[in-house]
């Protein structure tokens, strides 16, 4: 998202029928999600360290990069507003990424009108999601306003030759009126092999891909879920939307998009005031990122972001319950190469470790919105940073409490072979306390750098 006209970018509750198993349409979404206890530690590198071809080669390769892992073992991805890997600038392009982090190469595939079209005047086209299903690729493309503050339409393009050519219904978009127009396909691993059934799953946001800075449309606060048979992804009438939940928590589905319910709702606002002219504030937290199934951990992870933070969620199923497990705040601008946030956050499934605890997060920073100075393209490419997650494991302390001991009155550390039952004589305790009162002030002053107020220490 690089044109000079660009504005600053930082880049279910079910109502059940008594005694029935089907849920009626939800009329009000649940409150913002509770904090998660699934992960005990979350370690995230403060900045991008690798990329394709490399983070920091100072070329405007592009941003967004929704991606999937295909049957030929390559990662396929799409970018916006960049030169990709061929040198020709385009508002949209497709690429193939080969190798593993630290040894990645990019190969250019089609760009521009060979990938998608624009349906709405004064808008451009941007990729939002990608799915590799067997040997077929699907790419979600949205109309996005030139100021990036509304997304009224979206459609899905298809490639049966690993990205070399693309087809789509040119008569009109699959989704319109700002409803479900930021489409993020669920990443189910290589060739969609980890999917539990014959469906392709997709999440959608309404109105815009992130907070609408101009408030021209409502900010996204809900994440919606849809499914479609894997051989009918481009058939809009075959799409079904989560429309409620049974008593056991499994979703019901409807082809009527008006009956859908949110699977995740988060209306939190961050940075209500920034006290710096020209910076955005009061930011919603639901944005275009990605949802990946981490098979070793049997967990679904949604990576979202705001102008200044990353916001991460986890769930045991595609439909929830979703819980918030991390918020990483990178602070205000300017950022540096070694510490920066980003937008369009995704976790490519190919780079998840065998134990599921180590992975790579893709995100971007545009040198046009304040995060980086003009001309700095360190993270304006397929850029990755390390993410490490450690699931919580219940443990029992090896040192059980000593009910007969009193450490406050013990004259010395208790040996492991005996309880702490020896009480310190009262006179010794009193003398020790008196000595502490006499010397404590001087010691504290010495640590602070001066023995007497107004006098230099020596």
């Amino acid at each position: 998202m690089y044109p000079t006209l660009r504005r600053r970018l930082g880049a279910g509750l079910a109502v059940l029928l008594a005694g029935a198993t089907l849920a009626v349409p939800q009329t009000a979404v649940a409150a913002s999600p509770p904090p998660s206890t699934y992960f005990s530690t979350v370690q995230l590198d403060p900045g991008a360290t690798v990329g394709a071809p490399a983070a920091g080669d100072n070329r405007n390769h592009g941003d967004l990069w929704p991606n999937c892992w295909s049957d030929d073992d390559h990662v396929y991805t799409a970018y916006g507003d960049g030169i990709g890997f061929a040198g020709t600038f385009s508002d949209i392009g497709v690429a193939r990424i080969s190798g593993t982090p630290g040894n990645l190469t990019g190969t250019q595939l089609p760009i521009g009108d060979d990938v998608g079209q624009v349906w709405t005047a004064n808008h451009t086209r941007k990729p939002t999601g990608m799915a590799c299903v067997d040997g077929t690729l699907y790419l979600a493309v949205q109309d996005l306003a030139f100021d990036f503050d509304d997304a009224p339409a979206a459609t899905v393009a298809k490639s049966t030759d690993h990205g070399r050519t693309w087809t789509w219904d040119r008569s009109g978009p699959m989704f319109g009126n700002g409803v479900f127009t930021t489409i993020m396909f669920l990443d189910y691993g290589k060739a969609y092999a980890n999917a539990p059934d014959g469906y392709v799953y997709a999440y959608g946001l309404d109105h815009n891909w992130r907070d609408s800075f101009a408030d021209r449309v409502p900010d996204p606060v809900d994440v919606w879920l849809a499914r479609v048979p894997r051989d009918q992804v481009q058939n809009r009438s075959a799409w079904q939307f989560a429309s409620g939940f049974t008593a056991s928590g499994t979703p019901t589905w409807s082809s009527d998009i008006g009956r859908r319910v949110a699977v995740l709702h988060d209306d939190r606002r961050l940075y209500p005031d920034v006290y710096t002219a020209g910076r955005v504030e009061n930011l919603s937290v639901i944005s275009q990122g990605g949802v990946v199934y981490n098979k070793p951990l049997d967990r679904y992870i949604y990576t979202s972001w705001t102008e200044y933070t990353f916001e991460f969620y986890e769930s045991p199923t595609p439909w929830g319950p979703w819980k918030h497990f991390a918020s990483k705040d990178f602070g205000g601008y300017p950022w540096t190469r070694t510490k920066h946030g980003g937008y369009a956050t995704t976790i490519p499934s190919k780079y998840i470790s065998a134990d599921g605890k180590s992975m790579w997060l893709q995100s971007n920073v545009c040198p046009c919105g304040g995060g980086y100075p003009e001309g700095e393209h360190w993270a304006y490419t397929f850029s990755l940073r390390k993410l490490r997650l450690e699931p919580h494991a219940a443990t029992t302390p090896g040192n059980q409490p000593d009910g007969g001991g009193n450490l406050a009155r013990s004259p010395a550390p208790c040996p492991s072979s005996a309880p702490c039952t020896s009480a310190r004589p009262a006179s010794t305790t009193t003398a020790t306390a008196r000595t502490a009162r006499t010397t404590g002030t001087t010691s504290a002053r010495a640590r602070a750098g001066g023995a007497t107020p107004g006098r230099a220490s020596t």
Side-chain angles (χ1 to χ4, degrees):
M1 298 192 170
Y2 190 72
T4 56
L5 51 78
R6 170 186 177 82
R7 289 195 57 201
R8 204 176 60 269
L9 171 143
L13 175 66
V15 180
L16 297 175
L17 293 173
T21 58
L22 294 181
V24 299
Q26 180 174 308
T27 58
V29 293
S32 294
S36 171
T37 58
Y38 184 79
F39 295 112
S40 61
T41 59
V42 178
Q43 295 178 286
L44 178 69
D45 284 356
T49 55
V50 302
D57 70 349
N58 214 36
R59 301 189 70 193
N60 59 322
H61 295 285
D63 61 1
L64 302 177
W65 304 99
N67 56 83
C68 61
W69 184 12
S70 194
D71 62 331
D72 61 358
D73 205 37
H74 295 301
V75 170
Y76 289 86
T77 182
Y79 61 87
D81 291 339
I83 63 171
F85 304 109
T88 301
F89 182 92
S90 179
D91 59 344
I92 191 170
V94 179
R96 183 178 69 240
I97 306 294
S98 304
T100 56
N103 187 31
L104 296 173
T105 58
T107 301
Q108 187 65 49
L109 294 170
I111 65 174
D113 293 340
D114 292 329
V115 178
Q117 68 187 93
V118 179
W119 310 98
T120 312
N122 299 317
H123 286 66
T124 186
R125 56 203 160 188
K126 292 292 179 285
T128 63
M130 206 164 193
C132 294
V133 184
D134 301 319
T136 300
L137 311 183
Y138 294 99
L139 173 63
V141 181
Q142 74 177 181
D143 280 6
L144 188 61
F146 287 142
D147 64 1
F148 309 107
D149 278 337
D150 70 79
T155 201
V156 176
K158 173 182 178 180
S159 174
T160 58
D161 55 7
H162 291 105
R164 289 187 290 274
T165 60
W166 294 85
T167 59
W168 63 93
D169 184 353
R170 296 174 181 266
S171 65
M174 292 175 61
F175 297 90
N177 300 315
V179 176
F180 211 85
T181 51
T182 298
I183 301 170
M184 302 173 288
F185 288 109
L186 200 166
D187 185 345
Y188 262 126
K190 185 176 183 179
Y192 229 69
N194 295 330
D197 49 36
Y199 291 95
V200 171
Y201 288 81
Y203 298 87
L205 311 182
D206 291 350
H207 307 301
N208 204 29
W209 67 301
R210 47 93 167 132
D211 187 293
S212 178
F213 297 165
D215 295 324
R216 185 162 60 248
V217 295
D219 296 328
V221 296
D222 294 307
V223 179
W224 315 94
L225 176 63
R227 70 179 187 180
V228 60
R230 62 172 61 203
D231 59 349
Q232 299 186 58
V233 175
Q234 290 183 298
N235 180 3
R236 172 63 184 82
S237 63
W239 285 59
Q240 300 175 334
F241 303 87
S243 58
F245 299 91
T246 68
S248 63
T250 58
T252 57
W253 302 91
S254 174
S255 59
D256 182 358
I257 197 171
R259 293 176 59 85
R260 65 190 175 144
V261 302
V263 295
L264 169 61
H265 172 86
D266 196 341
D267 57 12
R268 290 179 298 130
R269 292 280 171 169
L270 302 183
Y271 280 87
D273 297 292
V274 296
Y275 305 109
T276 302
R279 299 290 187 225
V280 294
E281 58 189 23
N282 197 34
L283 299 163
S284 54
V285 298
I286 297 297
S287 303
Q288 175 190 327
V291 181
V292 64
Y293 175 56
N294 185 317
K295 185 177 181 180
L297 300 183
D298 192 24
R299 222 67 185 174
Y300 295 82
I301 301 173
Y302 167 43
T303 47
S304 186
W305 55 277
T306 75
E307 186 87 352
Y308 311 116
T309 71
F310 289 161
E311 305 293 325
F312 297 163
Y313 305 80
E314 59 82 16
S315 171
T317 73
W319 44 83
W322 288 94
K323 295 182 180 180
H324 182 249
F325 76 85
S327 182
K328 174 63 176 178
D329 192 336
F330 295 92
Y333 299 148
W335 288 336
T336 67
R337 290 185 173 186
T338 57
K339 182 183 178 182
H340 58 266
Y343 55 93
T345 44
T346 61
I347 297 174
S349 59
K350 181 178 179 178
Y351 311 142
I352 298 177
S353 64
D355 64 2
K357 297 179 181 181
S358 177
M359 57 214 78
W360 293 84
L361 181 79
Q362 199 289 135
S363 65
N364 307 115
V365 181
C366 180
C368 51
Y372 279 164
E374 192 71 30
E376 172 62 88
H377 298 92
W378 177 265
Y380 200 75
T381 184
F382 186 79
S383 65
L384 304 171
R385 72 184 78 195
K386 198 75 169 183
L387 172 63
R388 303 166 186 85
L389 303 175
E390 184 65 39
H392 170 75
T395 59
T396 302
N399 54 329
Q400 297 300 311
D402 176 10
N406 187 340
L407 290 176
R409 297 182 63 82
S410 175
C414 306
S416 59
S417 60
C420 294
T421 56
S422 300
R424 178 180 294 159
S427 59
T428 303
T429 304
T430 303
T432 303
R434 185 182 300 114
T435 302
R437 287 197 300 271
T438 303
T439 62
T441 303
T442 301
S443 299
R445 285 188 189 136
R447 286 194 299 271
T452 304
R455 182 179 299 170
S457 60
T458 58

